[in-house]
């Protein structure tokens, strides 16, 4: 019991630290959710973006056949007082009574209950009191066009705005909202878009907005039907018809919610009920397990359960497959597994006889080689799919199964440049091992529970080999287990799960969405000449036609992938901003990697653009031209390195560094890097570094950096600090003269060495608010990064 308590206390402390740290960046505009989080092609929809520091929202940036504009920004409604709630109740009651009269209900039930707003008449009588302070009307996007709200929409407002405070998890990070109008072209390609909002504080992080082809409806909160059950006359008057299929349902889960939807289906229909929840908001920083874990159940008209799902294989978003037994009405139920809920527990459920691919083989092909995969699943009318293996593309690629009307789910596959072969059964035991020649990528399957695929190859003493599985990252359910043995059967190396973990539990993987890193990886130096065996099996003793894998066995293939954060950079014109670069090195590659800009608008300057040998994380800076246009620019970084005499180049993938469940962090890829000019009153003052592009720092001594500046008082008001300096390196002194800014650095005698890094200096100044006379620190950007070495 003592151990349990200790672990619990540690978890709470980590949670508190994480929350505190997340609140220090007080001015960064953030979107926490969109609702609804998508729309149908050829339609215009209004959505709510919930988040923080969204004041001054002016423009919406979204790509791919979608146009969007800001309707209005709404302040927080977390702290509305009793008088304001009374005023809102009066407004709602007026519209409610009109709707009741239109329905012919002579004795309508009160929308908000008799006790809650018993003082309304007294409030009205006080309205003419000149000494009484005016009540600020409550404003919220749900109240937009209030006079024309339907009965169900009024019930939805009742549940969302008057939800019991003791049950609601108040979150200031979701308190503000922006109402957005979105128009989707009729020929827009279905799939995910990224939506950002330009605000007074800068441009927000990207969030997912899905473009679909199915007819859509928005679910409305009705108190889980409790309110309507008490008033059968009203329930009958507004009873809705069952939904017609296919349909896509948008809704949100509030604490304790169980949402239910009725629809009609025909006997023999092969329905796919696909939920998008975690795929809309990949990680929730302040929730365990770190996302909305949806649970779905399907009932027939008699309340008999006919299908259930709480995930799809290893994906937390459930997908149900059901062949309808009889024509009639069915009810779909959804809730959170822990009955949690909040505004950002947003979901989209597609219901219909739509295509869904459940298995593909092989999981990829060789670059430039014609590859046709076999596919199977629900409502699939083609069993073969051509894979795009064109040279020069990304290693991990995505496609969809072309159908006559509806696109399928996304299919993920790999394209590599090594020779390939297919597994041949039966190779379950050593004596039947399949002979292979290195290097090779083997396309195989764990055909059934207990299946062990065995491969034999000839090796030499001192030879270095790598065995790597690609399965889970390609959406295969395989949880691989690898073993390397010699001829005697002795296990030389083995691996179950492999993940690359950086500082502070930062997980670096290709998808950014893995929480179970189930793909195996091992490397070994062979001790002697002879035959060696690689065995692959499923660690959970599962198997089947869907359990496909790609197994690479080769000498080390030195390579790398690069990620950067954040994917939105807000920069003062003429100033620089810092960003983080993460190197994901492959098979022991440890060399220097250079970062460059491609086709950037004139005037952008990248500084500190080299990842030193042995480093996998470093800060760099980018400077924005002073005369930049007021629209964001989409930039693309490339990374290159010389590996074995050959120049290798890869795109740098922009990402968001997202926290999961108070502690774990993941690099979630974004579609594009956006650099946005900040609309600020004070432009960045000019700095010109006069020293060498590479600085040498001597332990135990001081080093000066000299910048040429203009003779302006603003320099004396600035505060300068080192950003993420190595332990033992400090900014000892800042001296401002008529022409120069002189920074004095001090390196302790015991500082870690040798070290090569980038020196980044943050600049801020204090600004006094004219209304409340309070001062606050305002960032002025950073000085361009300077490469330094300590020997």
């Amino acid at each position: 019991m003592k151990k349990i308590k200790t672990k619990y206390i540690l978890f709470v402390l980590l949670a508190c630290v994480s929350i505190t740290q997340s609140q220090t960046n007080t001015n960064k505009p953030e979107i926490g959710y969109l609702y609804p989080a998508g729309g149908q092609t050829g339609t215009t929809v209004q959505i709510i973006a919930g988040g923080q520091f969204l004041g001054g929202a002016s423009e919406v940036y979204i790509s791919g056949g979608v146009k969007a504009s800001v309707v209005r920004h709404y302040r927080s409604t977390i702290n509305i007082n009793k008088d304001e709630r009374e005023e809102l109740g009066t407004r709602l009651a007026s519209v409610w009574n009109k709707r009741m009269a239109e329905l012919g209900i002579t004795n309508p039930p009160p929308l908000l209950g008799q006790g809650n707003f018993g003082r309304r008449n007294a409030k009205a009588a006080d309205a003419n009191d000149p000494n009484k302070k005016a009540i600020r009307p409550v404003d919220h996007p749900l109240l937009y066009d209030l006079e024309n709200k339907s009965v169900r929409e009024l019930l939805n407002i009742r549940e969302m705005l008057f939800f019991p405070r003791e049950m609601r998890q108040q979150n200031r990070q979701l308190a503000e909202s922006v109402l957005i109008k979105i128009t989707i072209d009729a020929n827009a390609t279905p799939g995910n878009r990224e939506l950002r909002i330009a605000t007074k504080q800068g441009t927000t992080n990207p969030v997912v907005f899905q473009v679909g082809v199915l007819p859509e409806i928005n679910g409305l909160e009705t108190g889980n039907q409790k309110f309507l059950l008490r008033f059968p006359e009203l329930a009958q008057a507004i009873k809705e018809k069952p939904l017609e299929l296919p349909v896509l349902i948008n809704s949100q889960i509030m604490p304790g919610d169980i949402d239910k939807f009725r629809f009609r289906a025909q006997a023999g229909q092969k329905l796919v009920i696909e939920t998008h929840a975690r795929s809309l908001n990949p990680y929730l920083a302040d929730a365990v397990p770190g996302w909305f874990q949806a649970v779905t159940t399907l009932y027939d008209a008699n309340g008999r359960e006919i299908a259930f799902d709480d995930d799809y294989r290893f994906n937390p978003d459930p997908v149900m497959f059901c062949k309808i037994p009889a024509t009639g009405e069915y009810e779909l139920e959804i809730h959170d597994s822990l009955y949690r809920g909040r505004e950002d527990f947003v979901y989209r459920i597609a219901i219909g006889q739509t295509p869904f691919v459940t298995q593909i083989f092989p999981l990829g092909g060789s670059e430039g080689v014609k590859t046709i995969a076999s596919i199977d699943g629900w409502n699939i009318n083609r069993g073969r799919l051509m894979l795009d293996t064109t040279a020069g593309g990304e290693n991990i690629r995505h496609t969809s199964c072309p159908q006559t009307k509806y696109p399928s789910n996304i299919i993920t596959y790999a394209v590599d440049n090594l020779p390939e072969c297919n597994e041949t059964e039966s190779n379950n035991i050593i004596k039947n091992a399949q002979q292979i020649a290195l290097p090779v990528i083997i396309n195989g399957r764990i055909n059934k529970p207990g299946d062990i695929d065995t491969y034999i190859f000839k090796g030499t003493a001192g030879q270095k080999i790598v065995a790597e599985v690609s399965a889970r990252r390609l959406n295969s359910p395989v949880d691989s287990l690898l073993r390397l043995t010699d001829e005697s059967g002795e296990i030389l190396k083995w691996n179950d799960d492999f993940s690359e973990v950086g500082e502070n539990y930062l997980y670096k993987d290709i998808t950014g969405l893995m929480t179970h890193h189930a793909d195996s990886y091992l490397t070994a130096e062979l001790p002697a000449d002879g035959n060696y065996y690689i065995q692959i099996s499923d660690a959970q003793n599962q198997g089947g036609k869907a359990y496909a894998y790609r197994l690479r066995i080769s000498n080390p293939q030195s390579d790398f992938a690069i990620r950067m954060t954040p994917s939105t950079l807000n920069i003062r014109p003429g100033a620089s901003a810092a960003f983080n670069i993460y190197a994901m090195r492959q098979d022991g590659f440890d060399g220097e990697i250079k970062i460059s800009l491609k086709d950037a608008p004139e005037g952008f300057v990248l500084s500190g653009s080299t990842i030193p040998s042995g480093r996998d994380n470093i800060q760099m800076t980018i400077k924005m031209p002073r005369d930049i246009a007021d629209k964001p620019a989409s930039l693309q970084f490339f990374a290159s390195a010389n590996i074995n005499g050959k120049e290798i180049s890869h795109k740098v993938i922009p990402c968001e560094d997202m926290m999961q469940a108070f502690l774990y962090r993941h690099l979630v890829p974004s579609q594009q890097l956006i650099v946005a000019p900040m609309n600020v009153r004070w432009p960045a003052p000019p700095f010109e570094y006069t020293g060498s592009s590479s600085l040498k720092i001597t332990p135990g001594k001081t080093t000066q950096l000299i910048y040429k500046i203009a003779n302006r008082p603003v320099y004396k008001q600035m505060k300068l600090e080192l950003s993420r300096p190595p332990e033992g390196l400090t900014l000892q002194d800042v001296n401002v003269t008529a022409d120069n800014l002189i920074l004095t650095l001090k390196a302790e005698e015991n500082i870690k060495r040798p070290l090569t890094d980038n020196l980044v200096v943050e600049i801020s100044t204090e600004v006094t608010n004219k209304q409340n006379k309070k001062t606050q620190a305002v960032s002025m950007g950073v000085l361009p990064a300077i490469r330094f070495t300590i020997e």
Side-chain angles (χ1 to χ4, degrees), residues 674-710:
I674 293 294
V675 179
M678 297 181 68
N679 183 14
V680 292
R681 184 182 304 175
W682 304 278
F687 296 88
E688 182 183 344
Y689 179 57
T690 62
S692 170
S693 60
S694 183
L695 185 69
K696 289 188 177 181
I697 295 177
T698 304
K701 295 185 178 181
T702 60
T703 304
Q704 285 192 337
L705 284 73
I706 302 176
Y707 295 84
K708 186 178 179 181
I709 60 174

Side-chain angles (χ1 to χ4, degrees), residues 289-410:
W291 51 76
F292 165 23
Q293 178 65 66
V295 175
T296 53
T297 312
L298 185 64
Y299 300 93
D300 64 14
N302 298 317
R304 181 173 61 92
E305 180 183 310
I306 61 172
F308 169 89
D309 197 19
D310 58 355
D311 52 39
Y312 174 62
R313 295 174 177 164
F314 58 87
N315 187 339
D317 285 344
V319 181
M320 286 196 295
F321 306 102
C322 180
K323 186 174 181 179
I324 296 299
T327 299
E329 290 188 13
Y330 292 83
E331 184 174 72
L332 176 66
E333 178 182 283
I334 178 172
H335 61 85
D336 176 68
S337 62
L338 300 176
Y339 294 93
R340 304 163 302 164
R342 203 170 57 188
E343 291 87 346
D344 55 345
F345 280 52
V346 174
Y347 63 87
R348 287 164 61 82
I349 301 181
I351 311 174
Q353 195 162 292
T354 54
F356 195 98
V357 176
T358 59
Q359 58 192 56
I360 173 175
F361 185 85
L363 291 178
S366 291
E367 190 174 70
V369 177
K370 181 179 178 181
T371 303
I372 299 176
S374 64
I375 59 173
D376 201 357
W378 280 63
N379 306 314
I380 300 296
N381 57 22
R382 300 179 187 178
R384 291 159 64 84
L385 179 66
M386 176 76 76
L387 302 181
D388 177 13
T389 58
T390 307
E394 295 297 316
N395 168 246
I396 303 293
R397 304 186 188 185
H398 308 280
T399 188
S400 178
C401 176
Q403 298 291 316
T404 56
K405 191 172 183 180
Y406 304 118
S408 74
N409 55 312
I410 297 299

Side-chain angles (χ1 to χ4, degrees), residues 557-600:
Q557 302 288 302
S558 295
D559 206 346
F560 61 91
I562 304 294
R563 300 290 186 262
M564 67 156 292
T565 63
S567 62
T568 303
L569 289 171
N570 293 296
I571 312 178
R572 287 174 176 264
S576 296
F579 58 90
N580 296 311
I581 285 282
Y582 298 92
M584 301 160 66
R585 299 175 180 271
Q586 177 178 302
D587 290 2
F589 171 64
D590 206 29
E592 185 177 86
I593 305 171
K594 295 181 179 180
I595 309 297
S596 61
L597 271 171
K598 183 178 181 181
D599 300 328

Side-chain angles (χ1 to χ4, degrees), residues 149-389:
K149 298 294 186 187
S150 68
V151 171
R152 282 193 167 271
E153 287 173 322
L154 292 170
L155 289 170
N156 182 60
I157 293 170
R158 168 185 177 271
E159 288 300 312
M160 296 298 289
L161 299 188
F162 290 86
F163 195 90
R165 286 172 176 261
E166 66 274 10
M167 293 180 62
R168 171 170 287 186
Q169 179 185 349
Q170 302 289 355
N171 191 325
R172 294 188 179 278
Q173 295 177 352
L174 307 175
E176 295 181 45
S177 51
V178 178
L179 189 63
I180 298 172
K181 178 181 177 181
I182 293 185
T183 301
I184 307 171
D185 292 348
N187 59 352
T189 303
N192 288 355
R193 305 297 195 274
E194 286 183 345
L195 183 147
R196 295 171 170 90
I197 302 175
T199 75
K200 286 195 300 186
Q201 303 288 352
T203 299
T204 67
N205 58 304
V207 284
V208 173
F209 180 87
Q210 292 185 336
V211 173
V213 297
L214 300 183
E216 300 199 6
I217 65 136
N218 292 343
L220 298 174
E221 293 293 332
T222 55
N224 294 329
Q225 310 298 323
K226 292 178 183 178
F227 181 86
L228 294 176
L229 286 174
R230 301 203 316 267
F231 305 103
E233 182 186 8
L234 174 60
Q236 186 62 34
I238 65 170
K239 184 177 180 180
E240 293 183 331
K241 295 180 180 179
L243 299 172
E244 294 296 328
L245 303 185
V247 68
L248 192 147
I249 303 167
N250 295 286
S251 198
Q252 295 164 286
I253 290 287
M254 298 302 287
D257 259 3
I258 301 176
D259 288 354
K260 300 179 180 181
F261 303 95
R262 291 185 303 125
F263 63 86
R264 287 194 59 81
Q266 305 297 316
Q269 275 188 303
K270 296 178 68 177
L271 292 187
V272 175
I273 304 176
E274 182 179 7
T275 302
H276 291 273
R278 191 214 174 186
S279 56
L280 303 175
N281 284 334
Y283 295 106
L284 302 177
D286 56 350
V288 177
W291 51 76
F292 165 23
Q293 178 65 66
V295 175
T296 53
T297 312
L298 185 64
Y299 300 93
D300 64 14
N302 298 317
R304 181 173 61 92
E305 180 183 310
I306 61 172
F308 169 89
D309 197 19
D310 58 355
D311 52 39
Y312 174 62
R313 295 174 177 164
F314 58 87
N315 187 339
D317 285 344
V319 181
M320 286 196 295
F321 306 102
C322 180
K323 186 174 181 179
I324 296 299
T327 299
E329 290 188 13
Y330 292 83
E331 184 174 72
L332 176 66
E333 178 182 283
I334 178 172
H335 61 85
D336 176 68
S337 62
L338 300 176
Y339 294 93
R340 304 163 302 164
R342 203 170 57 188
E343 291 87 346
D344 55 345
F345 280 52
V346 174
Y347 63 87
R348 287 164 61 82
I349 301 181
I351 311 174
Q353 195 162 292
T354 54
F356 195 98
V357 176
T358 59
Q359 58 192 56
I360 173 175
F361 185 85
L363 291 178
S366 291
E367 190 174 70
V369 177
K370 181 179 178 181
T371 303
I372 299 176
S374 64
I375 59 173
D376 201 357
W378 280 63
N379 306 314
I380 300 296
N381 57 22
R382 300 179 187 178
R384 291 159 64 84
L385 179 66
M386 176 76 76
L387 302 181
D388 177 13
T389 58

